[in-house]
Amino acid sequence: LHQERFAAARAVTPGAGGSQIHADTHLGGKGNLTVQQPGVLTITRVDPSRPTVTTNQTGWTVEMGVTNSGVADVQLDLDAGSTFITFSAGTGWSRSLQTPGPITLGQNESATLVYGVTASSTPVVAATINGTVRGIELNSDVQRTGQTPPGQGSITVQTPAAIQITEVTKSRDPVT
């Protein structure tokens, strides 16, 4: 196995996405290497499809906006233990990611992750929705994590309406 070492870095050119290094080897080889800034996962929004839902109501979603505000590409880890939403109050939340993967975000690229949600046994509650996203930076295989800032999204869960007829009044006399 033959390994070459860089004899001297001739020039370093800083750029918006990193630095480009021009180097010569001991054996006369030349090359360029771009050193990028790391990827940075940022959760930009957490939005429920409606502000209020009823216990056991299906068909509503929560959208989580994710942006790579860094430079190096990051592939999102969409496993439920790595990228997820949580609720600050109540119990019985059922959620499933409906967005297919894989998703790779380059510099300043964004994606929207959509979760189908049901609040099956949650009592009347107002809950803050929090999110976590994880991914692997493709340059370095380093895990990158982003979390929601406080107060990003919220939902109110109400009990189902209880409608009952309390009185029947005839509209005319006699009724035929």
Side-chain angles (χ1 to χ4, degrees):
L1 179 67
H2 179 72
Q3 294 182 337
E4 296 185 53
R5 295 184 195 183
F6 289 115
R10 294 187 334 183
V12 176
T13 308
S19 299
Q20 186 148 60
I21 300 172
H22 307 283
D24 294 330
T25 66
H26 286 294
L27 300 176
K30 296 182 181 187
N32 295 323
L33 172 68
T34 299
V35 179
Q36 292 182 318
Q37 298 296 319
V40 177
L41 293 176
T42 305
I43 297 176
T44 57
R45 64 186 182 87
V46 177
D47 296 325
S49 58
R50 55 189 66 225
T52 305
V53 296
T54 303
T55 300
N56 291 320
Q57 179 179 338
T58 59
W60 63 282
T61 60
V62 173
E63 291 185 352
M64 182 166 69
V66 179
T67 298
N68 177 2
S69 55
V71 177
D73 292 355
V74 178
Q75 183 168 5
L76 302 185
D77 182 350
L78 300 180
D79 180 68
S82 295
T83 298
F84 52 87
I85 57 173
T86 59
F87 298 86
S88 65
T91 58
W93 296 98
S94 169
R95 57 231 174 245
S96 62
L97 181 62
Q98 298 175 343
T99 305
I103 297 173
T104 300
L105 299 178
Q107 179 178 7
N108 296 319
E109 289 184 336
S110 297
T112 299
L113 306 180
V114 179
Y115 290 86
V117 184
T118 303
S120 60
S121 61
T122 303
V124 176
V125 66
T128 300
I129 307 169
N130 299 302
T132 297
V133 60
R134 290 192 178 98
I136 299 296
E137 184 181 284
L138 296 182
N139 288 349
S140 63
D141 288 332
V142 171
Q143 185 181 63
R144 302 293 179 201
T145 302
Q147 295 184 318
T148 52
Q152 274 274 319
S154 64
I155 189 81
T156 300
V157 179
Q158 299 176 336
T159 56
I163 300 173
Q164 66 183 50
I165 299 172
T166 58
E167 183 179 336
V168 176
T169 306
K170 61 184 177 179
S171 60
R172 63 181 183 194
D173 197 18
V175 176
T176 56

